[in-house]
Amino acid sequence: ILNVEQSPQSLHVQEGDSTNFTCSFPSSNFYALHWYRWETAKSPEALFVMTLNGDEKKKGRISATLNTKEGYSYLYIKGSQPEDSATYLCAFNGNKLVFGAGTILRVKS
Amino acid sequence: EAGVAQSPRYKIIEKRQSVAFWCNPISGHATLYWYQQILGQGPKLLIQFQNNGVVDDSQLPKDRFSAERLKGVDSTLKIQPAKLEDSAVYLCASSAYDRVSYGYTFGSGTRLTVV
């Protein structure tokens, strides 16, 4: 059974804090690693799709890194804002897309 | 481009009743996925279609769940009869290719509550 683990399960931060989450995945049969943001009552939105070991991607205040050899990815949010509150899902794309359980982020103003 | 459309948004049914969900993917997307997301867990793939053929339905509880994608466009997912443990968000997603490097496009999901 393919295991994709995310930590922490949930996070409460103050506006302006920087934060990061971890996604662990199998290091074999790797094709891509996806990050999604899922706000309540909305569609999950693709943030990044990362394919190369050592890859770093950035979108505004959000960035992600990838280590395929050791099987982990980090998502960073710099200067968290209330609108960043959401569930952040990572998904391992080997033969099929397998999701982690997500990290719930709540940013207090 | 229009997104992935799903309906209904919410559904409450009693156990042993039947329910159906509908998905209209992005035009031209050959691959369509149905995911089940139970509270506290990550989305789990139920079934994947490539055009109107099934690619993967290994995690679909076939004794009660069925899905079809006629004409390779819209899809319906049915549960008959429903159980309490089927309470979840059912997400539909589509992509242009089987293995993508740019992410899937998801609908906003159907939240099913079985009482």
Side-chain angles (χ1 to χ4, degrees):
Chain A
I1 295 177
L2 206 148
N3 234 9
V4 179
E5 302 281 349
Q6 288 190 248
S7 63
Q9 201 170 28
S10 65
L11 202 53
H12 289 77
V13 302
Q14 287 294 130
E15 183 175 356
D17 288 350
S18 293
T19 186
N20 64 85
F21 324 132
T22 304
C23 174
S24 302
F25 52 86
S27 52
S28 60
N29 200 27
F30 176 87
Y31 180 74
L33 193 283
H34 299 217
W35 281 101
Y36 291 85
R37 173 170 57 203
W38 192 4
E39 294 179 65
T40 304
K42 294 187 178 179
S43 314
E45 170 202 356
L47 289 173
F48 305 113
V49 179
M50 309 175 79
T51 56
L52 299 175
N53 184 42
D55 212 0
E56 290 188 28
K57 295 210 172 183
K58 189 175 180 183
K59 185 186 284 189
R61 295 178 291 100
I62 305 177
S63 60
T65 61
L66 179 68
N67 184 324
T68 60
K69 292 182 179 178
E70 296 183 38
Y72 65 83
S73 175
Y74 295 136
L75 187 79
Y76 301 92
I77 303 178
K78 185 178 177 182
S80 302
Q81 299 297 308
E83 57 265 31
D84 296 329
S85 297
T87 298
Y88 290 82
L89 294 165
C90 74
F92 170 80
N93 193 347
N95 291 323
K96 55 185 166 186
L97 202 63
V98 178
F99 283 86
T103 293
I104 301 169
L105 174 67
R106 293 289 175 258
V107 183
K108 297 180 186 175
S109 55
Chain B
E1 63 181 359
V4 174
Q6 285 190 248
S7 67
R9 287 297 304 272
Y10 305 94
K11 191 76 178 178
I12 301 174
I13 61 171
E14 295 183 351
K15 59 184 178 183
R16 291 187 289 274
Q17 284 189 320
S18 302
V19 65
F21 314 129
W22 173 81
C23 173
N24 187 352
I26 289 177
S27 178
H29 277 194
T31 310
L32 184 147
Y33 313 83
W34 283 101
Y35 283 86
Q36 178 195 56
Q37 195 256 339
I38 293 172
L39 190 64
Q41 300 178 21
K44 180 183 84 172
L45 179 68
L46 292 175
I47 189 166
Q48 176 183 340
F49 292 95
Q50 184 77 12
N51 296 309
N52 60 347
V54 175
V55 173
D56 185 348
D57 63 357
S58 57
Q59 298 190 95
L60 186 74
K62 298 180 186 64
D63 57 334
R64 298 183 301 106
F65 285 63
S66 64
E68 60 182 9
R69 190 183 183 196
L70 299 176
K71 300 180 183 178
V73 182
D74 293 10
S75 177
T76 55
L77 176 70
K78 296 179 182 176
I79 308 175
Q80 181 180 12
K83 293 185 175 181
L84 296 177
E85 58 261 36
D86 298 331
S87 295
V89 175
Y90 290 84
L91 290 164
C92 178
S94 70
S95 65
Y97 304 101
D98 183 16
R99 298 181 91 189
V100 298
S101 59
Y102 53 85
Y104 293 8
T105 304
F106 282 89
S108 52
T110 296
R111 182 174 296 276
L112 174 68
T113 303
V114 183
V115 297

